[in-house]
Amino acid sequence: MKIVFARDYKDMSRKAANIVSAQVILKNDSVLGLATGGTPLGLYAQLIEWQRKDDISFRGVRSVNLDEYVGLSAEHPQSYRRYMNESFFNRIDIDKANTFVPDGTAEDLQAECAAYDRRIESLGGLDLQLLGIGHNGHIGFNEPGEDFRMNTHVVTLSENTRRANARFFDGNMELVPKQAVTMGLLHIMQARRVLLVAGEDKRDILLRALRGPVTPKIPASILQLHANLTVICCCEPF
Ligand code: GLP
């Protein structure tokens, strides 16, 4: 595990963008596992800038997102599909047909989960998985629990997670979906490289996840067992 302490958010975003960019330069048909949330926005903005300058191209890249809220359509302003389109995909040269986000409106969610796992396998797995981290140690929407959930699954979001994400729903908890579909820990752990980005407010949870015991009560702690994990954070060193 390599932990890089960046000076500030901008420095963190640029350092992380350098790693994603190197991945795409070295393998232009990379399969990128992508994340949402506030933290990666600076990284996406940096990649957009470099793509516009023609320094990199995403033409051959395939992407697989971590998660999606149950019940939100692709057009819903707070769906992760919409977030990805607006914050990244619409602004780079990626072929949208090669971008995958779970369908939170699928009638048969179990079938959607199984199909999502098959999709990742048919792409040959993830070359690089980008992650943020929740204050309770969730990655994607893998919430704390009694065991590590390996496959793509439907999850009931914790109060803590819904409260943290209410800021994207006009601060109204009522509007925050109660469930989500999330990639499980198997494909995250099988990714050939994992890149975790975290802001200054995540110091406590990073400390517990990366230096404490590996436990499903802190899902991100499983990353300690990953052979190629890079963490870029802009908090006080620990
Ligand atoms: C969300 C997402 C996660 C993200 C986390 C942290 O719930 N499902 O993928 O890493 O919360 O978000 P933020 O970066 O906004 O703190």
Side-chain angles (χ1 to χ4, degrees):
M1 164 177 27
K2 173 84 188 147
I3 308 182
V4 177
F5 294 97
R7 282 189 306 278
D8 51 29
Y9 180 76
K10 186 152 195 229
D11 186 38
M12 177 195 81
S13 302
R14 286 171 66 90
K15 284 180 161 63
N18 265 299
I19 293 175
V20 177
S21 163
Q23 172 68 44
V24 172
I25 289 168
L26 292 172
K27 184 172 186 238
N28 57 23
D29 63 348
S30 287
V31 179
L32 301 181
L34 296 179
T36 52
T39 314
L41 285 171
L43 182 166
Y44 291 141
Q46 182 61 75
L47 291 173
I48 292 164
E49 194 184 318
W50 286 336
Q51 198 275 296
R52 290 195 173 159
K53 286 183 182 156
D54 226 9
D55 286 342
I56 40 170
S57 170
F58 294 88
R59 230 165 284 140
V61 165
R62 284 80 49 80
S63 77
V64 183
N65 259 79
L66 283 168
D67 45 16
E68 180 59 284
Y69 289 112
V70 167
L72 300 197
S73 69
E75 296 74 39
H76 188 285
Q78 298 312 331
S79 75
Y80 284 163
R81 164 51 82 177
R82 174 103 175 244
Y83 166 112
M84 288 309 300
N85 286 349
E86 292 186 352
S87 314
F88 197 39
F89 299 149
N90 290 348
R91 301 160 72 187
I92 54 170
D93 60 351
I94 198 166
D95 178 353
K96 273 279 200 66
N98 290 332
T99 68
F100 303 97
V101 180
D103 179 1
T105 64
E107 223 162 273
D108 184 344
L109 287 170
Q110 298 308 328
E112 172 64 14
C113 291
Y116 208 67
D117 280 333
R118 283 197 303 274
R119 163 81 61 198
I120 298 169
E121 274 144 36
S122 72
L123 290 168
L126 306 163
D127 289 304
L128 181 150
Q129 175 64 57
L130 172 67
L131 294 173
I133 184 170
H135 284 283
N136 62 0
H138 72 233
I139 45 178
F141 269 136
N142 286 277
E143 291 280 42
E146 295 308 314
D147 45 27
F148 289 116
R149 299 286 305 273
M150 300 315 273
N151 294 315
T152 298
H153 59 280
V154 177
V155 59
T156 297
L157 300 174
S158 69
E159 275 292 294
N160 179 305
T161 297
R162 292 183 61 240
R163 210 171 310 114
N165 287 1
R167 69 189 197 278
F168 298 114
F169 292 83
D170 300 325
N172 186 348
M173 275 285 275
E174 298 285 294
L175 300 178
V176 185
K178 295 191 168 63
Q179 290 187 309
V181 173
T182 184
M183 191 192 292
L185 296 167
L186 178 72
H187 292 299
I188 295 174
M189 287 303 284
Q190 285 181 345
R192 290 177 269 285
R193 172 166 214 166
V194 176
L195 174 62
L196 172 70
V197 287
E200 55 184 352
D201 57 324
K202 301 286 171 54
R203 187 176 187 276
D204 284 359
I205 189 60
L206 282 181
L207 197 57
R208 288 163 59 211
L210 302 176
R211 306 270 203 235
V214 174
T215 163
K217 295 195 169 22
I218 304 178
S221 64
I222 199 172
L223 297 172
Q224 291 182 40
L225 307 177
H226 195 279
N228 191 357
L229 168 68
T230 303
V231 179
I232 305 192
C233 49
C234 55
C235 58
E236 285 296 307
F238 54 84

